[in-house]
Structures are given as C-alpha cells and as structure tokens.
Amino acid sequence: RVARPALAFAVRTATAAAAHRRGQAAAALEPLREAFAIGREQGFHHVPAWQPRPLADLCVLALREKIEPEFARTLARACKLAPSQLPFRVTDWPWPLRVRSFGAFQLLRAEGAVEFAGKGPGRPMELLKVLLALGGSGVRAEQVADALWPHVDADYAHNSLTATLHRLRKLLGAEDALLLRDGRLTLNPALVWADAWALDQVLGDFDAALRAPQPDAEALRELEAEAFALYRGPFLPDESEQASYIACREQVRAKLLRCLTRVARRHEEAGEREAAADCYLRLIESDPVFEAPYRNLMLCYQRSGEVAEATATYERLRTTLAARLKSNPSAETQAVLAELKSAGP
C-alpha cells in the first residue's frame, strides 16, 4: 500500500491513464476516482513530470463521469490542459469563453455573462455572430467582410474588418481567441466553446446511431435529450435577417428535424403513438415558429386517425404564426389540413 499522498496520487493517476490509453475507460474509473479524491484532499494543482495531453484526457473522463468535477476543472485550469479531442459536449469543461446562440445570444466568461453597457459593442459582436453562422473555422476573411459591409468597396471593407477584429479580441480578453491565418478566420476552439459546435457533434452522432442496423433505444434517448439541452430555440432569433444567420438557422433545423422524424417513425412502427408525437412536440416547444414539425405532427396524428388533434395542431400553428410573424401557414401545411377535412372523422 502506498502511504505518501503525492506518490499515491501519481501511481493511481498513472494506472488510470494506462487503462484509458488502452481504450478501457471502465477500468480507468476506480483509480481515477481514488487519484482525484487524493488530489482534492491534498490541494494538488499540478502533476510533476506528466505530459499535459494524457492528463487533460483524464480530466475529460472525470467530468463525463462526474468524478471530483471541481478538482478536475481546477487541475485543467491550473495546468492549462488541452485534451487530444476538444470536448465540446462536456459542457462543464473550464472553457475561458462560451458562446450561446440558440434561443438567444449570450457571451460568457468563467465568472459569468458578459454585460454590455448602452448600445453594446456593435460591430465586434456582429463579427462574432457572422463567424459562428459561417461555421466558425477557416472562414474566408473576404466572406465575413462582405456579410458585414455588403455595399462598400473592398479596401474599406478590409480596413473595417481589421479594426473590428482588433476590438473583438480586446472585448474577449484573449488575443488568440480569434486566429487569422492565410486570409481565413477561426474562432479558437481551444479557448472558446460554442453551443453550435456541440450540437453539430450531437446531431452527427444521432444520425450515425439511427443508421445502425439495430439502433440502441437508450442511446437514442440520451442523444435526443442532449440535443434539446443545447437547442433552446432557433439560431440567433432576435438578430436582423442577415443571410448567413438565416442559412445557419435553417440548416440546424433541418438536421434536427431529420433525426427526430426518423425517431418518431420508429415509435409509430412500434405502436408508440404518444412517443412519436412527443418528438415533434418537443421541437415545437423549443422553436414555436418552425413550421415543419407542426406539419409532421399533423401527419403523425392523421396516420393514427386522430383528426381532432391534427386540426388542433394546425390551429396552434396558425395562431403562433399570426401573433409572432404576422403570416399564415404555408400552402403545403394547408394542403394537409384540407386532406384531413376531406377525409372526415
């Protein structure tokens, strides 16, 4: 039995790292739990002679498994750790900066939300939002400039972008939070977490899980819950109708609806009508002006012979669109309603 805390910490950390390196995450949990408990009790803030990346990967595992999470975050911050794969889906990793764009825009530092006085930062935040809408990585600077200054000459747009980029870096408090290399802009993923990136990873795994010959029902439920935890509403819903925002908004909606439609059809085939309807209802609750899930829900009710529920769904959509967008349901949705009425009860 190892007596000295520092040695015990090092031995158990090494054991956990060896198991994790072999792909045996379950075998790494117990020594990791023991090591991080010792680290918390002794107040260790660094691990001498350790390579940063394996230690970072252990901190990611600890946060995923809820093992001494505060110590894992403290260690990651103190050692400035960078994992081998950026853990966008580990939301409590100690990112210096976080950007939320679904449901409402929010910029957060470690100490909390960044508040803006008066009219706010203006163009610097627009630059950040446009960069996110265009993917956030390897975006041509000219493309960003064109989106922000569409009706000016190229030199003016370039100079404006340079000045705005400088202001945004100062606002974020980190010069390397935004990288400009070979004429392309990237939001540094080692320093910045974005809900758009996390949701993209979740939906990618969701799609892959649904394509499996025998999809795991429990895994699908977890992915659905994770997706809705991130998707709190449409992308930048309160912003001007910038073309890049609209394109990103519709792309994310389409990906999410595609996954949920396939889940709903699986429920229908299993005779689970309420579970099928719930897939669309959750999306409607998150994004009330997104018309497609209402239509899918109407069709789901129609296949179950529940005409009254389908009609009520249409009325809910019509009222929502009239109140929020001063518009009516599309011709496609109206056609579904007409078919319901012609079919009768």
Side-chain angles (χ1 to χ4, degrees):
R1 182 178 177 83
V2 180
R4 294 176 58 191
L7 184 56
F9 176 72
V11 169
R12 285 162 176 75
T13 302
T15 304
H20 191 261
R21 189 167 52 249
R22 294 192 300 268
Q24 299 170 341
L29 297 183
E30 188 56 34
L32 180 62
R33 188 174 287 107
E34 294 174 356
F36 277 23
I38 295 169
R40 172 181 51 78
E41 291 165 3
Q42 300 297 320
F44 295 153
H45 289 167
H46 69 284
V47 185
W50 262 77
Q51 292 295 319
R53 187 145 291 175
L55 186 59
D57 291 340
L58 287 182
C59 288
V60 170
L61 180 62
L63 289 170
R64 281 192 178 129
E65 299 295 330
K66 312 299 182 189
I67 295 172
E68 302 289 349
E70 190 53 46
F71 174 74
R73 283 190 292 271
T74 299
L75 195 61
R77 279 192 295 264
C79 300
K80 297 181 179 179
L81 299 177
S84 53
Q85 292 186 334
L86 292 166
F88 292 123
R89 290 166 62 183
V90 181
T91 54
D92 51 354
W93 180 261
W95 306 97
L97 293 161
R98 296 169 183 263
V99 185
R100 296 190 181 277
S101 52
F102 294 120
F105 179 80
Q106 197 175 29
L107 174 63
L108 304 103
R109 291 198 184 95
E111 59 272 17
V114 178
E115 301 291 342
F116 304 114
K119 293 183 179 179
R123 283 299 197 194
M125 278 300 99
E126 287 186 57
L127 170 55
L128 178 58
K129 292 170 186 176
V130 166
L131 185 57
L132 272 175
L134 295 173
S137 179
V139 181
R140 288 186 300 106
E142 294 89 344
Q143 188 179 5
V144 177
D146 287 345
L148 291 171
W149 296 278
H151 305 300
V152 300
D153 64 70
D155 287 341
Y156 180 88
H158 173 76
N159 292 336
S160 297
L161 178 63
T162 301
T164 305
L165 181 59
H166 174 70
R167 290 173 59 199
L168 178 56
R169 282 170 169 157
K170 286 187 66 177
L171 185 69
L172 297 178
E175 184 69 20
D176 52 351
L178 281 151
L179 309 174
L180 178 59
R181 293 173 181 163
D182 300 322
R184 292 182 178 271
L185 269 172
T186 294
L187 196 59
N188 188 347
L191 300 180
V192 183
W193 175 89
D195 57 357
W197 293 340
L199 183 60
D200 189 60
Q201 286 190 354
V202 172
L203 293 180
D205 285 356
F206 208 159
D207 187 61
L210 285 163
R211 292 177 187 275
Q214 295 293 330
D216 184 326
E218 181 59 31
L220 291 178
R221 279 192 293 271
E222 290 176 0
L223 287 164
E224 183 179 340
E226 195 175 355
F228 278 112
L230 291 164
Y231 190 78
R232 303 175 302 160
F235 180 80
L236 298 179
D238 302 323
E239 303 300 324
S240 61
E241 292 303 283
Q242 162 78 248
S244 60
Y245 301 165
I246 296 171
C248 182
R249 192 177 301 152
E250 295 308 316
Q251 183 182 50
V252 172
R253 282 171 164 172
K255 285 182 179 179
L256 187 53
L257 181 64
R258 184 169 62 247
C259 289
L260 292 177
T261 299
R262 289 159 66 188
V263 170
R265 292 310 296 265
R266 286 174 54 82
H267 285 309
E268 286 190 71
E269 290 165 3
E272 302 165 348
R273 195 274 305 167
E274 289 186 6
D278 186 60
C279 290
Y280 301 121
L281 285 167
R282 291 189 70 184
L283 186 50
I284 289 168
E285 292 296 331
S286 297
D287 193 349
V289 296
F290 183 22
E291 184 172 342
Y294 290 90
R295 188 166 56 248
N296 282 24
L297 181 57
M298 290 170 66
L299 291 168
C300 178
Y301 284 137
Q302 182 190 41
R303 287 189 289 268
S304 301
E306 298 175 87
V307 177
E309 285 82 355
T311 304
T313 300
Y314 177 86
E315 287 303 315
R316 178 180 178 181
L317 169 64
R318 185 187 62 77
T319 303
T320 301
L321 293 182
R324 299 198 181 194
L325 302 180
K326 294 182 171 49
S327 64
N328 294 313
S330 67
E332 187 178 357
T333 305
Q334 292 183 43
V336 174
L337 179 68
E339 185 179 341
L340 286 168
K341 289 181 175 178
S342 66

